[in-house]
Amino acid sequence: MSSLLPFELLAVTEIPPEEGSKTEIYLNRSGINTIEVSPDNVHVECGRMLRVRFVNRGAPVHITASSSNAGMFSDFFHENMYVIDEVTLGIQTRKDCSPGFFDIDILAGYGASKATLRIEVNVRPTRGEEEQKKEPAVQPVAHGRPHLLMIAMGIGLVLYSTWYYTKIEVLNILAFIVLIVGALFVWYRQT
């Protein structure tokens, strides 16, 4: 059985918020061919979908959305739309992009008015980076007191003091050797 009337169905599924970013742009809300864009930048992660919802509050309008600098982040370049009530434009970002930004220029009324929406692209941290952020920084752990270093410091102090009063040069050299050997022993014992 065939229908005599042409019938088309457009199904749109809603994406949960964790799978992408959304923003709204209002058309014809404060006057003919006006475009109201959020003053804040829109943030989206690499590999996620950005949904730009155009909401028309007046007479139907032709709009053009284009971007001249989105090539590094998305395949989006240009889209012409006829907005009666509302239209959603989906922009998929690339999975292998770097952090940065691009601009979407929106023209209404065949160029009568123009607005620019800035999109900031962020890179989602990998699981390893997320785990490192969650874990506190590892502090060095002392393995007991460095008894040998304390003993070496004491011996070095006695040798240096004896050299200071007696002026026997061998004691001065022995004091520094004892300190260096004690420090090196403790240093290599911790690793």
Side-chain angles (χ1 to χ4, degrees):
M1 180 173 159
S2 66
S3 172
L4 298 176
L5 297 174
F7 179 77
E8 294 181 17
L9 177 68
L10 174 64
V12 178
T13 60
E14 192 67 31
I15 291 183
E18 67 270 9
E19 291 190 17
S21 299
K22 290 193 279 187
T23 187
E24 290 187 349
I25 296 175
Y26 292 97
L27 306 170
N28 294 328
R29 188 159 72 170
S30 59
I32 297 173
N33 293 328
T34 59
I35 306 168
E36 295 177 26
V37 178
S38 171
D40 299 329
N41 294 343
V42 178
H43 299 276
V44 66
E45 291 180 354
C46 288
R48 301 291 177 117
M49 177 72 73
L50 170 65
R51 297 214 178 264
V52 182
R53 183 173 168 232
F54 295 94
V55 181
N56 187 7
R57 298 292 187 208
V61 63
H62 276 103
I63 61 168
T64 301
S66 63
S67 178
S68 60
N69 61 348
M72 295 186 335
F73 309 103
S74 175
D75 292 332
F76 173 76
F77 175 68
H78 183 82
E79 188 71 35
N80 287 324
M81 294 171 276
Y82 185 68
V83 184
I84 296 173
D85 290 325
E86 64 182 56
V87 171
T88 301
L89 172 65
I91 301 173
Q92 180 68 42
T93 58
R94 294 185 177 148
K95 292 181 181 179
D96 59 346
C97 62
S98 301
F101 68 91
F102 64 93
D103 298 321
I104 298 176
D105 296 324
I106 299 124
L107 301 172
Y110 301 104
S113 60
K114 177 182 177 181
T116 302
L117 178 66
R118 168 124 331 160
I119 311 298
E120 289 188 10
V121 180
N122 304 317
V123 176
R124 184 177 188 159
T126 62
R127 285 189 179 183
E129 292 173 352
E130 287 178 353
E131 290 173 4
Q132 286 177 353
K133 288 181 183 178
K134 291 179 185 176
E135 294 177 3
V138 178
Q139 298 295 325
V141 179
H143 301 287
R145 290 189 176 144
H147 297 293
L148 184 64
L149 181 60
M150 286 188 231
I151 292 169
M153 287 172 54
I155 293 171
L157 180 64
V158 169
L159 289 171
Y160 187 77
S161 298
T162 307
W163 166 78
Y164 187 74
Y165 290 108
T166 63
K167 300 296 181 200
I168 300 172
E169 293 297 323
V170 143
L171 296 176
N172 187 16
I173 295 169
L174 283 175
F176 284 105
I177 290 173
V178 168
L179 287 174
I180 291 171
V181 167
L184 288 175
F185 177 77
V186 172
W187 179 276
Y188 286 113
R189 192 182 90 179
Q190 288 181 358
T191 56

